[in-house]
Amino acid sequence: MSQTAPAISPLSAGLRCKCPSCGKGPLFIHALNMRERCSACGLDYKFVDTGDGPAIFAIFILGFLSMGVAMIAEFKFGVPWWVHVIILALVMPLIAVLLLRFLKATLIALQFKNKAEEGRLLRD
Ligand SMILES: [Zn+2]
């Protein structure tokens, strides 16, 4: 990774799902598919390696959120069963995709900012 230091914050790039270098080009095609390179500055996204990080964070956050919402809906408001179905089967997947986009873009921006990459032995 030989790109220059980013001028924008990783949180800003993550929230807007934009390029971690210029903050202008979109990171994703459709929902979660990565582009090959930035359409604005040409940054090659081959360095991106977030692994399972965004999914793990999303699982913990969504698990806590969905159980909290379900328990509050049941015990505080006593909603009927079909409201639980709407919340858990329709709303939570939408929140999951939005959360995954934000988390993946933020982790990519943090990886870019901190120049995190696989360790290698120095030769030459
Ligand atoms: Zn860019």
Side-chain angles (χ1 to χ4, degrees):
M1 205 169 11
S2 62
Q3 293 83 15
T4 58
I8 61 169
S9 80
L11 188 61
S12 171
L15 281 171
R16 297 182 301 127
C17 297
K18 298 290 184 182
C19 169
S21 179
C22 66
K24 294 176 183 158
L27 263 181
F28 302 112
I29 301 171
H30 305 300
L32 288 169
N33 294 329
M34 285 291 302
R35 293 179 183 273
E36 293 286 325
R37 61 184 60 247
C38 176
S39 59
C41 70
L43 175 67
D44 193 351
Y45 292 147
K46 282 183 186 167
F47 72 92
V48 170
D49 184 19
T50 56
D52 294 335
I56 297 298
F57 283 122
I59 286 169
F60 283 123
I61 293 168
L62 275 176
F64 179 79
L65 183 68
S66 63
M67 285 308 299
V69 167
M71 292 177 105
I72 289 172
E74 178 66 28
F75 297 118
K76 182 154 176 120
F77 300 108
V79 297
W81 66 269
W82 55 268
V83 174
H84 289 285
V85 171
I86 289 173
I87 291 172
L88 296 177
L90 299 178
V91 175
M92 286 299 167
L94 179 66
I95 294 173
V97 170
L98 295 175
L99 188 62
L100 276 171
R101 282 176 58 92
F102 162 69
L103 290 171
K104 190 170 182 176
T106 302
L107 289 180
I108 289 169
L110 285 171
Q111 180 187 2
F112 180 76
K113 179 182 179 185
N114 296 310
K115 297 178 176 52
E117 59 187 356
E118 192 172 312
R120 60 178 83 132
L121 297 174
L122 184 62
R123 296 184 194 246
D124 296 337

